PDB file of all heavy atoms in Angstrom:
ATOM      1  N   HIS A 626      22.517  87.284  52.111  1.00  0.00           N
ATOM      2  CA  HIS A 626      23.880  86.773  51.989  1.00  0.00           C
ATOM      3  C   HIS A 626      24.854  87.878  51.946  1.00  0.00           C
ATOM      4  O   HIS A 626      24.580  88.990  51.405  1.00  0.00           O
ATOM      5  CB  HIS A 626      24.015  85.903  50.740  1.00  0.00           C
ATOM      6  CG  HIS A 626      23.008  84.794  50.703  1.00  0.00           C
ATOM      7  ND1 HIS A 626      23.076  83.599  51.253  1.00  0.00           N
ATOM      8  CD2 HIS A 626      21.821  84.831  49.991  1.00  0.00           C
ATOM      9  CE1 HIS A 626      21.991  82.902  50.982  1.00  0.00           C
ATOM     10  NE2 HIS A 626      21.205  83.561  50.253  1.00  0.00           N
ATOM     11  N   THR A 627      26.013  87.631  52.479  1.00  0.00           N
ATOM     12  CA  THR A 627      27.174  88.568  52.330  1.00  0.00           C
ATOM     13  C   THR A 627      28.143  87.919  51.300  1.00  0.00           C
ATOM     14  O   THR A 627      28.642  86.786  51.518  1.00  0.00           O
ATOM     15  CB  THR A 627      27.922  88.807  53.655  1.00  0.00           C
ATOM     16  OG1 THR A 627      26.945  89.404  54.547  1.00  0.00           O
ATOM     17  CG2 THR A 627      29.092  89.696  53.424  1.00  0.00           C
ATOM     18  N   VAL A 628      28.494  88.641  50.284  1.00  0.00           N
ATOM     19  CA  VAL A 628      29.504  88.211  49.354  1.00  0.00           C
ATOM     20  C   VAL A 628      30.859  89.008  49.469  1.00  0.00           C
ATOM     21  O   VAL A 628      30.759  90.340  49.435  1.00  0.00           O
ATOM     22  CB  VAL A 628      28.949  88.330  47.875  1.00  0.00           C
ATOM     23  CG1 VAL A 628      29.934  87.814  46.848  1.00  0.00           C
ATOM     24  CG2 VAL A 628      27.560  87.642  47.798  1.00  0.00           C
ATOM     25  N   THR A 629      31.970  88.332  49.566  1.00  0.00           N
ATOM     26  CA  THR A 629      33.237  88.942  49.665  1.00  0.00           C
ATOM     27  C   THR A 629      34.000  88.581  48.378  1.00  0.00           C
ATOM     28  O   THR A 629      34.079  87.444  47.999  1.00  0.00           O
ATOM     29  CB  THR A 629      34.054  88.435  50.816  1.00  0.00           C
ATOM     30  OG1 THR A 629      33.268  88.667  52.070  1.00  0.00           O
ATOM     31  CG2 THR A 629      35.305  89.241  51.003  1.00  0.00           C
ATOM     32  N   VAL A 630      34.470  89.626  47.696  1.00  0.00           N
ATOM     33  CA  VAL A 630      35.235  89.386  46.449  1.00  0.00           C
ATOM     34  C   VAL A 630      36.736  89.847  46.616  1.00  0.00           C
ATOM     35  O   VAL A 630      36.984  90.937  47.233  1.00  0.00           O
ATOM     36  CB  VAL A 630      34.590  90.282  45.340  1.00  0.00           C
ATOM     37  CG1 VAL A 630      35.428  90.217  44.069  1.00  0.00           C
ATOM     38  CG2 VAL A 630      33.167  89.832  45.036  1.00  0.00           C
ATOM     39  N   TYR A 631      37.595  88.967  46.172  1.00  0.00           N
ATOM     40  CA  TYR A 631      39.047  89.164  46.258  1.00  0.00           C
ATOM     41  C   TYR A 631      39.650  89.330  44.877  1.00  0.00           C
ATOM     42  O   TYR A 631      39.354  88.441  44.060  1.00  0.00           O
ATOM     43  CB  TYR A 631      39.705  88.029  47.010  1.00  0.00           C
ATOM     44  CG  TYR A 631      39.140  87.728  48.380  1.00  0.00           C
ATOM     45  CD1 TYR A 631      38.150  86.696  48.472  1.00  0.00           C
ATOM     46  CD2 TYR A 631      39.561  88.374  49.491  1.00  0.00           C
ATOM     47  CE1 TYR A 631      37.631  86.437  49.740  1.00  0.00           C
ATOM     48  CE2 TYR A 631      38.982  88.104  50.716  1.00  0.00           C
ATOM     49  CZ  TYR A 631      38.043  87.136  50.847  1.00  0.00           C
ATOM     50  OH  TYR A 631      37.460  86.788  52.039  1.00  0.00           O
ATOM     51  N   THR A 632      40.297  90.270  44.687  1.00  0.00           N
ATOM     52  CA  THR A 632      40.986  90.517  43.325  1.00  0.00           C
ATOM     53  C   THR A 632      42.381  91.030  43.446  1.00  0.00           C
ATOM     54  O   THR A 632      42.741  91.674  44.363  1.00  0.00           O
ATOM     55  CB  THR A 632      40.118  91.408  42.379  1.00  0.00           C
ATOM     56  OG1 THR A 632      40.713  91.553  41.182  1.00  0.00           O
ATOM     57  CG2 THR A 632      39.973  92.813  43.087  1.00  0.00           C
ATOM     58  N   SER A 633      43.175  90.797  42.498  1.00  0.00           N
ATOM     59  CA  SER A 633      44.636  91.270  42.449  1.00  0.00           C
ATOM     60  C   SER A 633      45.079  91.345  41.027  1.00  0.00           C
ATOM     61  O   SER A 633      44.512  90.694  40.089  1.00  0.00           O
ATOM     62  CB  SER A 633      45.560  90.409  43.244  1.00  0.00           C
ATOM     63  OG  SER A 633      45.676  89.162  42.700  1.00  0.00           O
ATOM     64  N   ASP A 634      46.005  92.269  40.813  1.00  0.00           N
ATOM     65  CA  ASP A 634      46.615  92.427  39.464  1.00  0.00           C
ATOM     66  C   ASP A 634      47.933  91.635  39.399  1.00  0.00           C
ATOM     67  O   ASP A 634      48.348  90.992  40.313  1.00  0.00           O
ATOM     68  CB  ASP A 634      46.759  93.874  39.048  1.00  0.00           C
ATOM     69  CG  ASP A 634      47.699  94.600  39.940  1.00  0.00           C
ATOM     70  OD1 ASP A 634      48.525  94.068  40.674  1.00  0.00           O
ATOM     71  OD2 ASP A 634      47.628  95.838  39.955  1.00  0.00           O
ATOM     72  N   ARG A 635      48.610  91.745  38.253  1.00  0.00           N
ATOM     73  CA  ARG A 635      49.791  90.933  38.008  1.00  0.00           C
ATOM     74  C   ARG A 635      51.022  91.303  38.817  1.00  0.00           C
ATOM     75  O   ARG A 635      52.014  90.605  38.893  1.00  0.00           O
ATOM     76  CB  ARG A 635      50.077  90.882  36.567  1.00  0.00           C
ATOM     77  CG  ARG A 635      49.012  90.204  35.713  1.00  0.00           C
ATOM     78  CD  ARG A 635      49.346  90.180  34.217  1.00  0.00           C
ATOM     79  NE  ARG A 635      48.235  89.577  33.414  1.00  0.00           N
ATOM     80  CZ  ARG A 635      48.120  88.247  33.280  1.00  0.00           C
ATOM     81  NH1 ARG A 635      48.999  87.408  33.844  1.00  0.00           N
ATOM     82  NH2 ARG A 635      47.167  87.756  32.524  1.00  0.00           N
ATOM     83  N   VAL A 636      51.037  92.457  39.377  1.00  0.00           N
ATOM     84  CA  VAL A 636      52.228  92.928  40.141  1.00  0.00           C
ATOM     85  C   VAL A 636      51.903  92.839  41.637  1.00  0.00           C
ATOM     86  O   VAL A 636      52.751  93.276  42.479  1.00  0.00           O
ATOM     87  CB  VAL A 636      52.665  94.278  39.693  1.00  0.00           C
ATOM     88  CG1 VAL A 636      53.189  94.315  38.261  1.00  0.00           C
ATOM     89  CG2 VAL A 636      51.629  95.370  39.958  1.00  0.00           C
ATOM     90  N   GLY A 637      50.669  92.472  42.049  1.00  0.00           N
ATOM     91  CA  GLY A 637      50.401  92.225  43.479  1.00  0.00           C
ATOM     92  C   GLY A 637      49.534  93.259  44.092  1.00  0.00           C
ATOM     93  O   GLY A 637      49.296  93.280  45.315  1.00  0.00           O
ATOM     94  N   ASN A 638      49.004  94.217  43.376  1.00  0.00           N
ATOM     95  CA  ASN A 638      48.003  95.153  43.962  1.00  0.00           C
ATOM     96  C   ASN A 638      46.710  94.451  44.231  1.00  0.00           C
ATOM     97  O   ASN A 638      46.182  93.785  43.356  1.00  0.00           O
ATOM     98  CB  ASN A 638      47.774  96.367  43.009  1.00  0.00           C
ATOM     99  CG  ASN A 638      48.938  97.252  42.877  1.00  0.00           C
ATOM    100  OD1 ASN A 638      49.388  97.830  43.815  1.00  0.00           O
ATOM    101  ND2 ASN A 638      49.339  97.494  41.596  1.00  0.00           N
ATOM    102  N   GLN A 639      46.272  94.490  45.441  1.00  0.00           N
ATOM    103  CA  GLN A 639      45.123  93.740  45.800  1.00  0.00           C
ATOM    104  C   GLN A 639      43.931  94.482  46.293  1.00  0.00           C
ATOM    105  O   GLN A 639      44.146  95.705  46.789  1.00  0.00           O
ATOM    106  CB  GLN A 639      45.456  92.739  46.980  1.00  0.00           C
ATOM    107  CG  GLN A 639      46.566  91.719  46.602  1.00  0.00           C
ATOM    108  CD  GLN A 639      46.917  90.785  47.750  1.00  0.00           C
ATOM    109  OE1 GLN A 639      46.556  91.023  48.918  1.00  0.00           O
ATOM    110  NE2 GLN A 639      47.629  89.805  47.429  1.00  0.00           N
ATOM    111  N   ALA A 640      42.737  94.047  46.206  1.00  0.00           N
ATOM    112  CA  ALA A 640      41.522  94.781  46.689  1.00  0.00           C
ATOM    113  C   ALA A 640      40.547  93.801  47.141  1.00  0.00           C
ATOM    114  O   ALA A 640      40.469  92.549  46.716  1.00  0.00           O
ATOM    115  CB  ALA A 640      40.938  95.595  45.565  1.00  0.00           C
ATOM    116  N   GLU A 641      39.642  94.213  48.103  1.00  0.00           N
ATOM    117  CA  GLU A 641      38.635  93.364  48.622  1.00  0.00           C
ATOM    118  C   GLU A 641      37.291  94.166  48.608  1.00  0.00           C
ATOM    119  O   GLU A 641      37.295  95.321  49.017  1.00  0.00           O
ATOM    120  CB  GLU A 641      38.929  92.851  50.047  1.00  0.00           C
ATOM    121  CG  GLU A 641      37.908  92.024  50.691  1.00  0.00           C
ATOM    122  CD  GLU A 641      38.317  91.627  52.139  1.00  0.00           C
ATOM    123  OE1 GLU A 641      39.477  91.097  52.289  1.00  0.00           O
ATOM    124  OE2 GLU A 641      37.550  91.832  53.046  1.00  0.00           O
ATOM    125  N   PHE A 642      36.274  93.595  48.127  1.00  0.00           N
ATOM    126  CA  PHE A 642      34.948  94.245  48.038  1.00  0.00           C
ATOM    127  C   PHE A 642      33.905  93.343  48.747  1.00  0.00           C
ATOM    128  O   PHE A 642      33.927  92.110  48.671  1.00  0.00           O
ATOM    129  CB  PHE A 642      34.523  94.392  46.611  1.00  0.00           C
ATOM    130  CG  PHE A 642      35.563  95.163  45.816  1.00  0.00           C
ATOM    131  CD1 PHE A 642      36.552  94.638  45.141  1.00  0.00           C
ATOM    132  CD2 PHE A 642      35.411  96.647  45.788  1.00  0.00           C
ATOM    133  CE1 PHE A 642      37.444  95.311  44.382  1.00  0.00           C
ATOM    134  CE2 PHE A 642      36.409  97.351  45.036  1.00  0.00           C
ATOM    135  CZ  PHE A 642      37.400  96.743  44.300  1.00  0.00           C
ATOM    136  N   LYS A 643      32.954  93.943  49.413  1.00  0.00           N
ATOM    137  CA  LYS A 643      31.861  93.262  50.156  1.00  0.00           C
ATOM    138  C   LYS A 643      30.447  93.855  49.628  1.00  0.00           C
ATOM    139  O   LYS A 643      30.308  95.046  49.595  1.00  0.00           O
ATOM    140  CB  LYS A 643      31.959  93.257  51.602  1.00  0.00           C
ATOM    141  CG  LYS A 643      33.124  92.370  52.113  1.00  0.00           C
ATOM    142  CD  LYS A 643      33.075  92.337  53.659  1.00  0.00           C
ATOM    143  CE  LYS A 643      34.189  91.354  54.207  1.00  0.00           C
ATOM    144  NZ  LYS A 643      34.111  91.289  55.619  1.00  0.00           N
ATOM    145  N   ILE A 644      29.565  92.934  49.357  1.00  0.00           N
ATOM    146  CA  ILE A 644      28.129  93.351  49.055  1.00  0.00           C
ATOM    147  C   ILE A 644      27.215  92.470  49.769  1.00  0.00           C
ATOM    148  O   ILE A 644      27.508  91.331  50.213  1.00  0.00           O
ATOM    149  CB  ILE A 644      27.918  93.337  47.558  1.00  0.00           C
ATOM    150  CG1 ILE A 644      28.040  91.832  47.003  1.00  0.00           C
ATOM    151  CG2 ILE A 644      28.798  94.233  46.793  1.00  0.00           C
ATOM    152  CD1 ILE A 644      27.525  91.692  45.584  1.00  0.00           C
TER     153      ILE A 644
END
Side-chain angles (χ1 to χ4, degrees):
H626 307 274
T627 298
V628 182
T629 306
V630 175
Y631 307 94
T632 181
S633 64
D634 61 22
R635 295 180 181 276
V636 298
N638 292 303
Q639 299 179 347
E641 180 180 306
F642 303 91
K643 288 188 177 182
I644 63 170

